[in-house]
Amino acid sequence: MACNLIVPIVSAAPSLRARAQAALRAGADVVELRVDRIGDIAAVEELLREPHAKPFILTVRAREEGGAWEGDEAERVALIERLGLLLPGYVDFEYAAWMRSANVRQKIGLVCRTARDESSGRPKNELILSHHDLHGTPDDAELERIVTAMQAQPAAVAKVVFTPRDATDALRIVALRKFASDARPLIALGMGEAGLLTRVMARTSDMFGSFAALDRAEQSAPGQPTIDDFRNHYRWDTVSPSTRFFGLIGWPVSHSHSPHIHNAAMLAAAVDGVYLPLPVAPDEASFRRFMQQTLAPVGRPFAGFSVTIPHKEHALRWLLAAGYDAGTLARRCGAVNTLLRTPDGRYFGQNTDATAAWSVLSAAAPEIAANPAGATVLVLGAGGAARGIAAALVEHGCRVCVTNRSAARARVLSADLDCAFAAWEERASLPADVVINCTSVGMSPKIDDSPLPMAALRTGQIVFDTVYTPPDTRLLRDAAAAGCRVISGRALFLAQAAEQFQLWHGRTAVFPELRA
Ligand code: NAP
């Protein structure tokens, strides 16, 4: 069964018919009428009386399951019965309400087929029994218990929706696909940002459907992507069981440009792949749990990951503990920002922040590439980015000095890399041919902050800011005004992403313009 793209309609303005037609034109296989939110019952009746080539789902969602229905339960059931007689095609009704009352089951049964062999009598709708957990995702045993209990009921489709905390929960929801078949259609989705992967991966399985909003104003559940996101960004039309998945592991990840540029570059290169934001809770155990899940059957479609704050060091430790390997620079700096999966399922880690920083610096300053030992480089910061970039500079023979607000962290870094250390308070007076900002100072929203006073900047110096939102940081503006050569974090961002693309797909990336 092909997974249906279901588009909910939640308002009748300017007209319900126009909204439904827009959804069908945009590619909906099924349109859901959320009567609890539409409110205008007469408009729903009018639409249902018209001939429709594609089915509707009639939903009057109860409040306790995230709906907007204000009336009492008897009224709700009576409304479903009345509208159900107009044969929308499907009726969605909550499993909890269904189980509560034999009387309600009998009433819903008047307009829905509730026995698989029910063939006589007047035409009826197919019943979708639904369950919404607005607060979390239960453990695997409970997930499976809910689905099997729902599938034991005489409904055409079981629909379960949870609220995953992170991508690990989301993959556990995707694993429910083992209960989906033509004989037992299932919808299993996650809400919120972490649920996005369940919505896209539904397309690779026998799931009955996935939901996308007509536009931002029409979202019927938190985190629901728009139909445009789905089709143009997450490649809904071409995603199949052979599609390879990639993603950005971090916490948070919603601000990142990586999904935008990697998806666009894969499309341009005709690569059958999708890149997703993958929020993974910030502790190391959560990272390990996510990676373990990618080794299970549900995680096999994943072929590579970008790794960002706070998981870069977790990634290296996990690789080595699991018996996999990482590149020399990644091991030296103790951080991995790229995970590559070979066809035999094994992982390999790289640090493309480190390698790309060197490429960007050497392209902007060929004299340093020609004589690295002649260059003194001041690295501001001692976090993940500083580790990778300082390691690359040391590897190429530059004279590196690290300084950081927290001195202890910089001391550990200078000892690990066998390079110089300076106190943070001295940073403005240190001699340097190149200054690289690897702190987050200057990053949006604090765009007027700079890690160095203007007086510290000297004509002819090279100033490289790794911060890339905004692209023209206060530090770079000051440096340009002081006659320095400047290198933006955006150049680094694109260069590290290009190296990831090369590693994963074996070809050169063509990235789109980045928005400011
Ligand atoms: P991280 O591991 O969290 O390190 C943050 C660094 O910023 C630490 O050295 C921290 O100092 C310092 N810092 C934070 N607030 C500060 C403040 N108010 N004053 C002085 N220092 C401060 O993060 P990361 O992964 O290294 O990333 C750091 C920056 O690099 C971020 O802005 C990130 O966007 C950028 N980056 C860019 C690229 C790119 O492709 N362009 C790639 C990687 C990273 P303490 O140790 O004292 O807290």
Side-chain angles (χ1 to χ4, degrees):
M1 179 195 299
C3 183
N4 293 297
L5 185 55
I6 304 170
V7 176
I9 301 295
V10 301
S11 106
S15 104
L16 188 60
R17 185 188 298 107
R19 304 296 291 165
Q21 281 170 351
L24 292 170
R25 270 199 312 275
D29 300 305
V30 182
V31 173
E32 181 187 36
L33 300 175
R34 281 290 302 268
V35 180
D36 55 307
R37 296 204 24 203
I38 293 169
D40 184 347
I41 309 295
V44 175
E45 281 186 308
E46 196 183 313
L47 183 65
L48 290 179
R49 281 185 207 286
E50 291 173 6
H52 41 269
K54 291 195 173 172
F56 289 110
I57 299 174
L58 172 74
T59 304
V60 189
R61 179 72 67 236
R63 247 187 202 289
E64 67 263 26
E65 303 227 12
W69 176 253
E70 294 286 358
D72 73 13
E73 187 62 356
E75 246 182 282
R76 188 169 81 100
V77 173
L79 179 61
I80 293 172
E81 224 186 299
R82 192 173 107 212
L83 296 175
L85 287 172
L86 300 175
L87 296 177
Y90 291 93
V91 168
D92 178 312
F93 194 69
E94 298 81 6
Y95 170 68
W98 170 262
M99 295 305 289
R100 253 194 314 264
S101 156
N103 181 39
V104 164
R105 289 198 289 278
Q106 188 260 332
K107 288 197 159 120
I108 297 293
L110 293 175
V111 289
C112 293
R113 291 202 309 141
T114 52
R116 288 190 181 280
D117 57 354
E118 196 180 321
S119 50
S120 59
R122 57 189 165 72
K124 288 184 178 178
N125 303 289
E126 299 291 357
L127 176 62
I128 301 175
L129 274 187
S130 62
H131 168 82
H132 306 82
D133 184 333
L134 308 178
H135 305 290
T137 308
D139 63 28
D140 290 349
E142 180 62 4
L143 281 178
E144 297 193 358
R145 191 199 65 73
I146 292 169
V147 171
T148 47
M150 289 174 70
Q151 288 189 325
Q153 293 301 312
V157 182
K159 174 188 174 197
V160 289
V161 182
F162 301 96
T163 305
R165 176 173 187 235
D166 68 2
T168 310
D169 279 350
L171 271 184
R172 296 195 296 109
I173 297 170
V174 174
L176 292 172
R177 61 174 52 183
K178 68 183 177 207
F179 294 103
S181 67
D182 284 356
R184 290 253 169 245
L186 176 70
I187 299 171
L189 297 174
M191 287 186 281
E193 184 194 26
L196 178 64
L197 87 88
T198 66
R199 295 174 184 276
V200 178
M201 288 186 94
R203 182 72 163 166
T204 67
S205 67
D206 287 328
M207 290 287 183
F208 177 78
S210 191
F211 287 73
L214 183 55
D215 51 43
R216 302 255 169 250
E218 288 272 335
Q219 284 170 321
S220 67
Q224 193 174 72
T226 64
I227 201 164
D228 182 55
D229 292 336
F230 245 36
R231 300 191 69 198
N232 298 326
H233 197 52
Y234 296 114
R235 319 274 297 276
W236 178 262
D237 297 314
T238 56
V239 167
S240 74
S242 58
T243 300
R244 296 194 311 153
F245 282 74
F246 301 85
L248 172 65
I249 301 174
W251 186 275
V253 289
S254 53
H255 63 285
S256 174
H257 291 292
S258 294
H260 170 64
I261 63 163
H262 278 290
N263 282 321
M266 283 192 283
L267 182 64
V271 170
D272 180 13
V274 179
Y275 186 105
L276 296 166
L278 301 169
V280 171
D283 55 292
E284 188 158 3
S286 290
F287 178 82
R288 282 200 302 267
R289 267 198 301 277
F290 177 76
M291 294 311 298
Q292 282 311 119
Q293 243 181 359
T294 69
L295 298 172
V298 70
R300 282 205 196 114
F302 280 102
F305 299 100
S306 311
V307 185
T308 188
I309 298 171
H311 291 308
K312 291 182 188 179
E313 292 168 34
H314 302 161
L316 180 68
R317 283 199 285 272
W318 178 80
L319 280 170
L320 300 181
Y324 302 124
D325 206 355
T328 320
L329 262 181
R331 275 186 280 116
R332 181 162 300 165
C333 69
V336 155
N337 80 327
T338 309
L339 289 166
L340 163 71
R341 203 163 187 188
T342 49
D344 62 0
R346 290 185 65 76
Y347 276 106
F348 183 76
Q350 242 336 342
N351 192 316
T352 66
D353 291 337
T355 47
W358 179 253
S359 323
V360 168
L361 177 62
S362 15
E367 74 280 13
I368 291 179
N371 179 22
T376 304
V377 186
L378 177 63
V379 173
L380 305 173
R387 281 199 153 260
I389 292 170
L393 296 166
V394 169
E395 167 105 346
H396 285 277
C398 296
R399 285 177 278 128
V400 176
C401 177
V402 293
T403 183
N404 190 46
R405 180 180 61 175
S406 319
R409 215 171 165 192
R411 279 189 198 283
V412 172
L413 179 56
S414 84
D416 285 353
L417 297 180
D418 197 15
C419 66
F421 157 86
W424 182 246
E425 296 68 31
E426 291 168 15
R427 67 192 185 284
S429 57
L430 296 169
D433 304 304
V434 183
V435 176
I436 308 186
N437 175 35
C438 297
T439 74
S440 46
V441 179
M443 206 165 126
S444 175
K446 293 188 169 176
I447 56 170
D448 288 325
D449 290 356
S450 171
L452 270 186
M454 178 123 185
L457 301 163
R458 284 180 288 281
T459 306
Q461 244 178 352
I462 294 170
V463 177
F464 182 173
D465 200 343
T466 65
V467 171
Y468 67 97
T469 45
D472 56 337
T473 57
R474 167 79 188 275
L475 173 65
L476 292 187
R477 280 184 275 124
D478 286 351
C484 305
R485 271 189 280 169
V486 297
I487 305 174
S488 88
R490 199 156 265 198
L492 174 62
F493 175 72
L494 290 174
Q496 62 79 27
E499 290 193 16
Q500 293 184 325
F501 198 91
Q502 184 71 38
L503 282 168
W504 294 331
H505 310 299
R507 61 183 92 175
T508 307
V510 178
F511 290 133
E513 284 288 308
L514 285 180
R515 291 179 297 265

